[in-house]
Amino acid sequence: MAGAPEQAAGVIGGIARTRIDALRAREAKMYAHARPQSRKAMAEGVSGYLAGVPMHWMRDWPMPFAFVVEKASGATITDIDGHRLDDFCLGDTGSMFSHSPAPVARAIRRQARRGLTYMLPSTDALVLGDLLARRFGLPSWQIATTATDANRFALRVARAVTGRPKILVFNGCYHGSVDETMVNLRHGRPVNRPGLAGEFRDLTETTRIVEFNDLDALDAALGEGDVACVITEPVLTNSCMVLPQPGFHDGLRDLTRKHGTLLLIDETHTISTAPGGYTRAFGLEPDLFVLGKPVAGGVPASVWGMSADVAERWTAYEQTKEPGYSGMGTTLSANPLQFAAMRATLEEVMTEKAYAHMDKLAERLELGLRAAIERHGLPWHVARVGARVEFICAPGPLRNGAEAELAHAPELEAAIHVGLVNRGCLIAPFHNMMLISPATKKKQVDRLVEAFDEIVRELTSHV
């Protein structure tokens, strides 16, 4: 597969680096010329913000500078220079069900007249608990504001009820900014991920790490008897997508039960699979479940649930622990705006009909991208989990996080990204992820495939 040796030879993903650099320079010039207002606003940074941006990752878009959004609606986004783009990024999953779905917008307007936060339940809260239990299959739920928070809180519960200190993650995982998950495997040894700011701890002291799809390594790691919880996505995302091999999830569940370890499934990205997520679609049986980003239609919110057994064990633990702050919960979590937006999303937006539409167009996108790759003879592949599609500039399928890291081709991906923006298509900035929303149209998918094909043709025209 594509990796460091090929890149060192001046070729990335089967494309000469000189071709990639030339395309990116040309596309960057076109981008900047077409956006004078965004260039004036963003190129030198915005006054008052550290490094000129409200959040540091706004500097990480592959374009010469981020464009300023005028508005977003459905599956389109419009910048202040008047460019209207087909949006396949959708807030990197936060707006997966489209920008401002009508039922959510109505719920926000209604709740805004009733108060936005007051640390007490609303009438929507009285309905939401049962909605979550029916939708995702676990009986007991809590509300948080981000999936990072929800994962942190769920891991506290896991450690509390098991009396064990460690968690286990899979190499290449993504669980927001949960500290313990910021570990990589390097030459078979766990290390802190590079680039962590201000990290003074050795995170490998609290975290075990093995490769995704490696049940033998998982068995050995859990056999130490000190792992409270395995936290995993059903499919590795936010890098180069890695699908589970046949039997992996059954083996994962069997091994965690064998060793008395809890299993946390983080569906924040794989909710693209079905209304109940990958978990309900494929009959997974987690002890703990987390979902963030799109669950409130774009309003910051997340949920985390637990099985009846874990809830019973947690209740017993609470009765014996000394009084004091649990380390779980934030003041704005479980606010009435979240309740209203989540209820509207679950009842009216995340429907079977919506998912059928998303899946159909995602398959069309997958096939179109694959055909373009094959037509131009490139050693790339396409992966999909429901409405989430990703082109990967290396052969596949990938088996684990180590292979995903080698397959990542930042310079090539950045050139393609800017080229797509110039052709009216926006995809996720940090990897090649594309989402289909209920508002996405067939013509938008076809435009994306056509733009991708044109860029790939330019990259390969002199190969």
Side-chain angles (χ1 to χ4, degrees), residues 75-76 86 88 357-366 368 425 435-451:
T76 64
D86 297 325
F88 295 91
H357 171 83
M358 293 157 67
D359 193 67
K360 181 179 180 180
L361 288 188
E363 182 181 23
R364 184 180 185 88
L365 176 58
E366 176 189 19
C425 304
L435 283 168
I436 302 297
S437 80
T440 304
K441 308 298 184 185
K442 182 171 77 70
K443 62 184 179 181
Q444 292 178 296
V445 170
D446 291 344
R447 281 198 294 260
L448 175 56
V449 171
E450 182 179 352

Side-chain angles (χ1 to χ4, degrees), residues 212-215 234-235 242-251 278 397-400 403:
F212 197 72
N213 283 318
D214 191 340
L215 293 175
V235 174
V242 180
L243 301 175
Q245 293 179 339
F248 173 70
H249 278 296
D250 288 340
Y278 196 102
L398 305 173
R399 296 173 297 178
N400 54 47
E403 291 190 359

Side-chain angles (χ1 to χ4, degrees), residues 337-352:
L337 184 62
Q338 291 175 327
F339 297 142
M342 278 192 281
R343 179 180 179 181
T345 301
L346 291 173
E347 287 184 335
E348 302 180 68
V349 178
M350 291 174 61
T351 64
E352 294 282 358

Side-chain angles (χ1 to χ4, degrees), residues 15-278:
I15 307 294
R17 188 185 293 270
T18 54
R19 295 288 301 168
I20 296 167
D21 292 344
L23 176 70
R24 187 173 185 184
R26 184 170 67 252
E27 296 292 340
K29 185 177 181 179
M30 291 172 56
Y31 175 93
H33 179 74
R35 290 173 170 80
Q37 293 190 60
S38 282
R39 183 174 69 246
K40 181 179 179 181
M42 296 299 300
E44 302 302 323
V46 183
S47 176
Y49 292 119
L50 177 66
V53 287
M55 186 67 181
H56 66 87
W57 41 248
M58 290 183 179
R59 301 194 312 268
D60 296 338
W61 285 82
M63 299 90 79
F65 47 84
F67 61 74
V68 180
V69 176
E70 175 69 28
K71 64 178 180 179
S73 177
T76 64
I77 195 166
T78 305
D79 67 22
I80 60 174
D81 288 286
H83 300 285
R84 189 170 183 264
L85 293 94
D86 297 325
D87 189 5
F88 295 91
C89 174
L90 295 170
D92 198 14
T93 308
S95 294
M96 191 181 82
F97 301 109
S98 79
H99 294 290
S100 300
V104 176
R106 288 194 297 269
I108 291 171
R109 287 194 296 270
R110 183 180 69 249
Q111 188 58 48
R113 295 192 294 267
R114 301 174 178 178
L116 297 177
T117 187
Y118 30 75
M119 291 186 71
L120 289 164
S122 66
T123 54
D124 289 317
L126 305 181
V127 177
L128 184 61
D130 284 340
L131 275 176
L132 291 169
R134 291 199 306 271
R135 175 65 64 96
F136 301 115
L138 295 175
S140 297
W141 292 86
Q142 291 280 274
I143 311 300
T145 300
T146 69
T148 292
D149 285 341
N151 279 318
R152 285 184 180 131
F153 303 157
L155 290 176
R156 278 191 177 271
V157 168
R159 284 172 163 141
V161 303
T162 63
R164 296 178 176 182
K166 297 192 176 186
I167 67 163
L168 185 142
V169 300
F170 292 107
N171 191 32
C173 69
Y174 177 69
H175 302 288
S177 57
V178 176
D179 289 347
E180 298 99 316
T181 68
M182 296 295 173
V183 177
N184 279 352
L185 274 177
R186 285 287 181 270
H187 308 296
R189 297 177 60 86
V191 297
N192 283 12
R193 287 191 184 182
L196 293 177
E199 185 54 69
F200 58 90
R201 298 162 297 173
D202 181 0
L203 298 176
T204 66
E205 293 181 356
T206 56
T207 304
R208 295 190 186 281
I209 181 169
V210 300
E211 291 287 7
F212 197 72
N213 283 318
D214 191 340
L215 293 175
D216 289 338
L218 176 65
D219 192 12
L222 297 184
E224 298 290 329
D226 57 359
V227 176
C229 185
V230 172
I231 175 172
T232 187
E233 302 173 272
V235 174
L236 288 190
T237 66
N238 216 54
S239 54
C240 295
M241 196 184 299
V242 180
L243 301 175
Q245 293 179 339
F248 173 70
H249 278 296
D250 288 340
L252 170 62
R253 182 67 278 193
D254 290 345
L255 288 173
T256 49
R257 285 176 173 152
K258 169 186 170 183
H259 293 290
T261 301
L262 299 182
L263 176 60
L264 190 164
I265 298 291
D266 181 350
E267 287 264 16
T268 298
H269 282 167
T270 53
I271 193 63
S272 60
T273 309
Y278 196 102

Side-chain angles (χ1 to χ4, degrees), residues 405-419:
E405 185 174 4
L406 286 174
H408 187 42
E411 298 98 331
L412 174 55
E413 293 160 8
I416 296 171
H417 182 105
V418 181

